Amino acid sequence: MVMLAIIRIGNDAYGVSISEEIERTTGSEVLLGSVYDALTRLQAKGLVMSSLGEATPERGGRAKRHFRTTSQGLRLVRDTQRSLVKLWKGLPQLKGEEV
Amino acid sequence: MTLRRTPTVATWFLKLFCSDAEHESVIGDLAEQFQHGRGRFWYWRQVLDIAFLSLYGKVARRPLTAMHRVPVGSLFALVLVLAALAAVALSDVGPIFLAAVFGGVLFGIVRFEQTSHGTRSAPVTESPAPGIVRIDSSKIPIGGGIGAGIVILILLTAVLHDVPELRFWAIPGLLAGVVVAIGLRVWRKVHPRDMDKHWLSLK
């Protein structure tokens, strides 16, 4: 979910924008700490990379950490999508048919 | 535009648990959201969540908890417990107690690794020089905790059974422990790169 949010946002993907994107699409509240926890693990696995951005007064002079997916991350997202589509196909319960 | 002041105690609390550079951007994100109208309750909730996850990450995801490191820690604890039992059971406790405890400490935290065997923490191509001594710094808190527990046990035994030799050795032992702890802290400050790998290297 975090990786999809990063891809959707594009260049301005950082903690706040990622959590807002997930909140917008899922409709449920997301804790910033959980997003950063996931981002740290994704970065350790080489699926996303980060770079420091600009520091603004409203951020207390602290820089933003921008995230973007690596080619390995994009490949994994595509593979996951293909697997999910395969699993999704032919499920009568989801078509409103009786089991 | 007038900036609101972020909750001071919450920010201090966050810095207390999450002092690394990685968390600077998190604090910035929280401040930004707070300026955009989020409340103090929201801020505190986020801070507690981040602090909890950070602590969990430090405790649960450290290599110390990996199964292959457990036997070394367990043996270290076992040797120390045996040393304490020996100290209590034997009449002439001084030298035996000292030998057993120092043996346990050496066995538990110091590992001599030769390049010919390869190292667990570094790839074979980047192996250190032969005969390097490595101390696993991630075990120090647990080793220290176990050591403190053993010392307390010994002191209690010394008081209960009135064994003067134990009291004699316990005090310099405690002082030596304090000196070693301070030394290790200084070492960790001086060698931050080694800290990242959870190892302290001595050549």
Side-chain angles (χ1 to χ4, degrees), chain A residues 8-25:
Chain A
R8 282 171 71 98
I9 296 163
N11 289 333
D12 195 34
Y14 69 108
V16 171
S17 62
I18 294 166
S19 62
E20 281 177 350
E21 182 66 27
I22 296 172
E23 279 180 3
R24 230 187 338 265
T25 47

Side-chain angles (χ1 to χ4, degrees), chain B residues 16 54 59 65 160 183 193:
Chain B
L16 187 71
S54 174
V59 174
T65 54
L160 288 173
R193 282 188 65 200

Side-chain angles (χ1 to χ4, degrees), chain A residues 14-16 19-20 23 29-34 36-37 40-41 43 52 56-60 62-65 67, chain B residues 1 3 11 15 21-33 35-36 38 42 45-46 49-50 53 57 61:
Chain A
Y14 69 108
V16 171
S19 62
E20 281 177 350
E23 279 180 3
E29 196 192 356
V30 178
L31 290 166
L32 258 180
S34 310
Y36 267 96
D37 189 52
T40 307
R41 277 183 281 127
Q43 194 166 2
L52 285 178
T56 56
E58 68 169 359
R59 295 176 57 83
R62 292 180 177 91
K64 281 181 187 175
R65 186 171 286 277
F67 291 89
Chain B
M1 181 184 163
L3 295 177
T11 310
K15 283 179 183 171
E22 192 82 4
H23 283 99
E24 280 292 296
S25 45
V26 186
I27 299 171
D29 283 358
L30 286 179
E32 184 187 318
Q33 288 287 81
Q35 300 306 333
H36 287 184
R38 299 277 198 177
W42 176 89
R45 247 186 83 200
Q46 302 289 330
D49 179 58
I50 292 165
L53 285 172
R61 293 183 197 136

Side-chain angles (χ1 to χ4, degrees), chain B residues 40-100:
Chain B
R40 283 175 180 272
F41 177 72
W42 176 89
Y43 195 94
W44 264 106
R45 247 186 83 200
Q46 302 289 330
V47 165
L48 291 176
D49 179 58
I50 292 165
F52 172 77
L53 285 172
S54 174
L55 279 176
Y56 173 76
K58 279 173 184 164
V59 174
R61 293 183 197 136
R62 280 280 171 107
L64 179 66
T65 54
M67 284 304 288
H68 62 273
R69 288 204 180 188
V70 170
V72 179
S74 307
L75 285 172
F76 176 39
L78 183 69
V79 171
L80 280 174
V81 170
L82 286 175
L85 289 175
V88 173
L90 298 169
S91 56
D92 190 13
V93 287
I96 297 167
F97 166 71
L98 269 184

Side-chain angles (χ1 to χ4, degrees), chain B residues 8 15 23-24 34 51 56-57 124 127 129 133 150 155 159 166 173 186:
Chain B
T8 316
K15 283 179 183 171
H23 283 99
E24 280 292 296
F34 190 73
Y56 173 76
V124 177
S127 294
V133 180
I150 298 296
L155 283 172
V159 172
L166 276 178
V186 172

Side-chain angles (χ1 to χ4, degrees), chain A residues 80-98:
Chain A
T80 309
Q81 185 196 24
R82 267 196 288 272
S83 306
L84 285 174
V85 168
K86 275 183 199 167
L87 283 168
W88 205 258
K89 280 178 185 168
L91 289 176
Q93 293 93 331
L94 297 176
K95 289 177 184 169
E97 295 170 15
E98 287 192 19

Side-chain angles (χ1 to χ4, degrees), chain B residues 73-138:
Chain B
S74 307
L75 285 172
F76 176 39
L78 183 69
V79 171
L80 280 174
V81 170
L82 286 175
L85 289 175
V88 173
L90 298 169
S91 56
D92 190 13
V93 287
I96 297 167
F97 166 71
L98 269 184
V101 170
F102 278 110
V105 170
L106 282 173
F107 183 76
I109 66 170
V110 180
R111 298 180 66 238
F112 293 84
E113 295 188 350
Q114 303 293 328
T115 44
S116 56
H117 300 142
T119 59
R120 191 173 57 217
S121 58
V124 177
T125 50
E126 296 172 16
S127 294
I132 194 167
V133 180
R134 283 171 171 257
I135 298 174
D136 187 346
S137 65
S138 64

